[in-house]
Amino acid sequence: MTPAERISELRMELDRHNRLYYVENTPEIDDRQYDMLMKELEKLEHEHPELDDPLSPSHRVGSDLSKGFVQVTHARPMLSLGNTYSLEEVNEWVDRCNDSLGNQGGMLSVPIVGEMKFDGTSISLTYENGRLVRAVTRGDGVKGDDVTENVKTIRSIPLVLPAGDWPESFEIRGEIVLPWKAFDRLNEERAFNEEPLFANPRNAAAGTLKMLNSAEVARRGLDAYFYYLLSDELPADNHYENMLKAREWGFKVSDVMTLLHSADEVDDFIKRWDVERRNLPVATDGLVFKVNNLRQQLNLGYTAKSPRWAIAYKFAAERALTRLIRVSFEVGRMGVVTPVANLEPVLLSGTIVKRASLHNADIVKSLDIHEHDMLYVEKGGEIIPKITGVELSEREEGSEPVKFVDECPSCGKPLVREPGEAAWMCPNKYGCRPQIIGRLEHYVGRHMMDIDGVGEENCSLLYDAGLVSDISDFYTLTTPPLENLERIGPRTAQRIVEGVEASKNVPFDRVLYALSIPFVGETVSRKIARAVRSMDTLMAMTREELVAIDDVGPRIADSIIEYLSYQPNVELIERLRSHGVQMSLPEEDLSDHTDLLKGKSIVISGVFSRHSREEYKAMIEKNGGKNSGSISKKTDFVLAGENMGPAKLEKAQKLGVAIINEDEFLKMIEAE
Ligand code: IVH
């Protein structure tokens, strides 16, 4: 291959990985592999300047710009950091800084600050007169997306600073992260709903920050750490003290930040945190070293892409090599077929790994896995082990590439793939065992019908015994045949029968969720149930009417229509209804509902005396209005109590949004 060919191949490959990483949030390779490709490209371009192209991926810092947000130009560009995976290169960087600033010897005349490199998504916050005015993503480094509304939902970010010596105007940069706990919870939920999982907290944080629904953002539990203060009037002449000030003003600045005075201290810092980072509540992918003194920073200056006064040391992902026993194909409740690598057990970051998801056919193909290959398994902080490559030198002669099945491994039906989707699906929704059992398990689950006594295992038992073949059969169960089943004694049988009976009181919104209609999750079910009130209304609705419901998009609407136009589903619903399952929300709930606030977006602020905040929220919803968390041009009015937040007051006044008190509000919803 000529250098020109390789350069063009690398550019295309890097462009593709940029898109997967920044736009689709589904990277196929890790940072290290990406960096290797980039370094190879940079080297070739350096050797062949005649082949340069201003649009080469080496000329940009990457972009997370996305549609739907207003773009803002950064007052000062957001650069990236030069990085290395080796301790030696960190030492060389320290020496270089010392040399160019005219110092020599073992002691660092150039004090360095060591910090954690948080693995999230970078953010720039601007404060004026102690108030947060704007939060912008890095974007392409020059322009970013204005995500202020979403950032405001992050509890650890101060919106208004308490009195202090902060400059009138400053910018603070940091990293938005999704802590491990919140990440695990989110992925558990997604696994349950058969939605694609986030590969790591970084993608989850970036994806969440770009959501258009800030209520959902608030629910996910983002957090933020800050590491860079910029202003014309900084409090100190060095980075460390500036960050201590920021901490004083209420920003989360990590305790890991340490002032280092010698090359040995730098080494010790690396050795210590390479291990101890595992105990931190958030994901980290390395350490950052910065020259502390701002004058020295200025002297060292910048390259086109990054400051010379800082360097990132990246941790190597923990990796193991093990043999592939076989790839199995598993069918989920919605029919998605997932390839799973079954591995010879191997120890990785303290746990034994035997299985790793290969996600979908495209990933199996791009890794080019052959039968019995030796595979690299990584756990780069992520909880779910990942196959990152094949050790070709260990490949058995004549071994065949792993073939993705074209028939359902369970029922044998030919698989189908929707255009533009990565997943192959078994179309045999109503005749394929794992799909049927998956729906039974879903139906009895805690968030759905919560049927006591029937766990996951019992569902397959009941199905195989011929007692339950669809969810309506639960209502025909009686103790005698049940208690004769292996593993189910008289007591469990009794519990099941009682649990099934109790499920007849489960409200309609959860029944709707329990039906396993694709894309109709817990929140959407609740929204739909409140909007339509009954199954009969839902069944009569058109696509347009469905899309008009809050949070229902075309994909969900189509899925509901498809589900309800299949006669066996309608019959199933009728059977459930005849057994006494709730197919509408109770009447009494309806009586105090009005349209008085229909289409109104209302913000609640302050402390109230006549009702609680929660009660006001319920009143808004019952009267057809929408309670929203922050004031915007779309806000119709603010329901204000005592001590309304000064930021909200100012914003409402600026946008000319009406402010009304409790009495006025109560009058408003008084029905004639
Ligand atoms: S300093 C001009 N410090 O890493 C230097 N960055 O690869 C500005 N990051 O875009 C960055 N932890 O998103 C800095 N302690 C830390 C960091 C950090 C994480 C991220 C940040 C930056 C990227 C550069």
Side-chain angles (χ1 to χ4, degrees), residues 79 81 115-118 122 138 175 227-228 288 290 307:
L79 301 176
L81 291 173
E115 294 174 8
M116 217 68 226
K117 186 166 189 305
F118 295 102
S122 35
R138 185 169 79 157
E175 200 82 353
Y227 46 65
Y228 195 19
V288 181
K290 298 172 181 169

Side-chain angles (χ1 to χ4, degrees), residues 573-586:
I573 290 170
E574 290 317 321
R575 280 200 300 283
L576 290 171
R577 192 201 299 267
S578 69
H579 287 303
V581 173
Q582 301 288 319
M583 289 296 163
S584 60
L585 289 182

Side-chain angles (χ1 to χ4, degrees), residues 291-318:
V291 167
N292 187 33
N293 186 293
L294 301 188
R295 179 174 295 277
Q296 291 182 330
Q297 287 189 1
L298 212 62
N299 281 335
L300 289 164
Y302 295 82
T303 70
K305 284 197 290 189
S306 52
R308 287 203 189 83
W309 48 263
I311 190 168
Y313 165 80
K314 296 251 213 142
F315 300 128
E318 286 180 69

